[in-house]
Amino acid sequence: MKKIGFLSFGFWAASPQSQTQSAADALLQSIDLAVEAERLGMDGAYFRVHHFAQQLASPFPLLAAVGAKTRKIEIGTAVIDLRYENPHYMAEDAGAADLISGGRLQLGISRGSPEQVIDGWRYFGHRPIKGEDDAGMGRRHAEEFLELLRGKGFAQPNPRPMFANPPGLLRLEPYSPTLRNRIWWGSASNATAVWAAKLGMNLQSSTLKFDETGEPLHIQQAAQIRAFRAAWKDAGHTRTPRVSVSRSIFALLDDQDRRYFGRGYQEEDKIGFLDENTRAIFGRSYAAEPDILIQQLREDEAIEEADTLLLTIPNQLGVAYNAHVMEAILTTVAPALGWR
């Protein structure tokens, strides 16, 4: 059995081919898609966060709105770039959104990915400290955020407050006592997966990973997941961690599916460079008739290792078509693979 969610980048563009012509379209359709996904029996609604782009950026208003409109589905991110975040403000926003949803947030965080602008986090008022690069700053923000989620008081109360205080040091409010266990780290390397395990975060592994061995993505991801679980066990955590992988998977059931995804779709992993020194592997997509998909997906070692699968969706094709994409996987592929 696997949990199956969707992952939307929330693109919009003023193009005749796009069903999301504006930011309002992308946001409102994201809410509608989460409602539809819950109706279909999907397990999660996840959203990507990118700054300075025509994509979803500030996640917490959207997460809170989805939480208010749904009842069961998990609501998450994959991922929030911690280089841009004030951990204190984020802890308040996350606590509020989690309480609105009834404790359904699954927050994926990370040090981020290549950006639309140069060092965009500087415009948000953040700077690495001496001896630290931007990736280290993102990890430092993550550790501060995790500490705040413990709910331990740290702020000295005013002796003459406007409202009466509880005794002792004060924590940030609103506080969600279980959210700390539902934080995930989006890892592009084996080393950061091990680091995340030591800190007690769940693991998200995307369709992009640092190319550390030259092997296909799914094999490298499977090794990454095993390293994560071994580090989790060594750290002595008592709960069972969760692991997700992301994939683009399309069952070709009709002419519309074939028109969108049936020709020339990416059937092999690709190699690229994130910067001058970082070689990365980008995972293949799957698009075929259900019987062929089933055979192909059985060979994906990372999906086999993970307990959660996030289906990346083409949100600009609209709510109705993406509901069709999700339903096709749930009904024609998932049962045959034992995911349902």
Side-chain angles (χ1 to χ4, degrees):
M1 301 290 288
K2 290 192 189 300
K3 290 185 179 292
I4 303 176
F6 74 80
L7 172 58
S8 173
F9 281 50
F11 293 107
W12 75 85
S15 164
Q17 286 75 42
S18 177
Q19 297 293 314
T20 51
Q21 297 277 313
S22 66
D25 289 341
L27 288 162
L28 294 172
Q29 287 186 30
S30 294
I31 299 168
D32 292 342
L33 187 58
V35 171
E36 189 68 5
E38 182 172 79
R39 184 190 68 80
L40 291 170
M42 294 282 284
D43 299 296
Y46 287 74
F47 303 96
R48 188 68 167 90
V49 178
H50 274 295
H51 300 286
F52 298 103
Q54 290 187 336
Q55 297 173 238
L56 298 174
S58 53
F60 292 106
L62 175 60
L63 296 173
V66 171
K69 284 277 192 176
T70 57
R71 292 293 175 266
K72 296 185 297 182
I73 196 169
E74 293 180 344
I75 308 161
T77 52
V79 291
I80 299 173
D81 187 336
L82 265 293
R83 295 175 298 177
Y84 284 80
E85 296 295 330
N86 177 315
H88 292 72
Y89 203 104
M90 184 173 167
E92 290 183 343
D93 279 351
D98 194 46
L99 294 173
I100 288 170
S101 73
R104 289 181 283 133
L105 243 56
Q106 302 286 342
L107 283 184
I109 62 176
S110 183
R111 54 81 73 202
S113 60
E115 305 175 84
Q116 296 296 106
V117 300
I118 298 171
D119 296 344
W121 33 269
R122 292 184 182 273
Y123 297 99
F124 282 58
H126 300 296
R127 301 285 189 277
I129 59 178
K130 186 177 180 179
E132 180 182 65
D133 61 10
D134 64 308
M137 178 179 67
R139 288 189 287 272
R140 172 168 54 83
H141 286 179
E143 293 187 32
E144 292 173 8
F145 177 62
L146 294 175
E147 179 63 24
L148 292 168
L149 292 184
R150 291 177 57 201
K152 183 179 179 180
F154 62 91
Q156 189 69 40
N158 188 334
R160 293 180 294 278
M162 181 177 295
F163 308 105
N165 282 323
L169 300 177
L170 301 184
R171 68 186 182 192
L172 292 174
E173 302 288 354
Y175 173 65
S176 175
T178 62
L179 180 57
R180 173 62 178 81
N181 290 338
R182 289 178 275 115
I183 306 301
W184 307 56
W185 184 258
S187 176
S189 70
N190 289 10
T192 53
V194 168
W195 173 81
K198 290 177 180 178
L199 290 180
M201 288 186 281
N202 301 312
L203 176 67
Q204 288 181 338
S205 194
S206 183
T207 52
L208 179 154
K209 184 184 179 297
F210 295 170
D211 185 14
E212 299 182 88
T213 66
E215 297 170 293
L217 174 74
H218 74 101
I219 293 176
Q220 293 197 50
Q221 277 188 320
Q224 179 192 44
I225 293 168
R226 288 191 289 269
F228 167 80
R229 290 197 172 118
W232 185 278
K233 182 178 179 181
D234 290 344
H237 302 305
T238 56
R239 68 179 177 87
T240 301
R242 289 182 60 183
V243 175
S244 74
V245 295
S246 303
R247 292 290 185 271
S248 296
I249 305 173
F250 302 97
L252 305 182
L253 302 183
D254 56 31
D255 290 342
Q256 186 178 35
D257 297 331
R258 296 182 187 92
R259 185 166 64 251
Y260 285 142
F261 303 107
R263 295 181 181 178
Y265 215 59
Q266 182 189 334
E267 295 181 353
E268 302 290 339
D269 294 342
K270 290 186 177 180
I271 299 296
F273 286 84
L274 300 179
D275 55 39
E276 293 180 355
N277 303 310
T278 308
R279 176 182 163 107
I281 184 167
F282 301 81
R284 61 160 296 179
S285 298
Y286 295 94
E289 284 70 22
D291 58 335
I292 298 173
L293 270 185
I294 291 164
Q295 294 304 316
Q296 291 175 336
L297 293 170
R298 280 199 176 111
E299 298 174 3
D300 192 310
E301 294 184 17
I303 294 179
E304 179 66 22
E305 287 281 350
D307 58 78
T308 301
L309 173 63
L310 301 184
L311 303 174
T312 59
I313 59 163
N315 76 283
Q316 286 179 285
L317 295 181
V319 174
Y321 183 73
N322 280 292
H324 160 76
V325 167
M326 293 186 290
E327 186 172 25
I329 299 301
L330 290 177
T331 58
T332 69
V333 175
L337 290 167
W339 299 347
R340 281 291 187 269

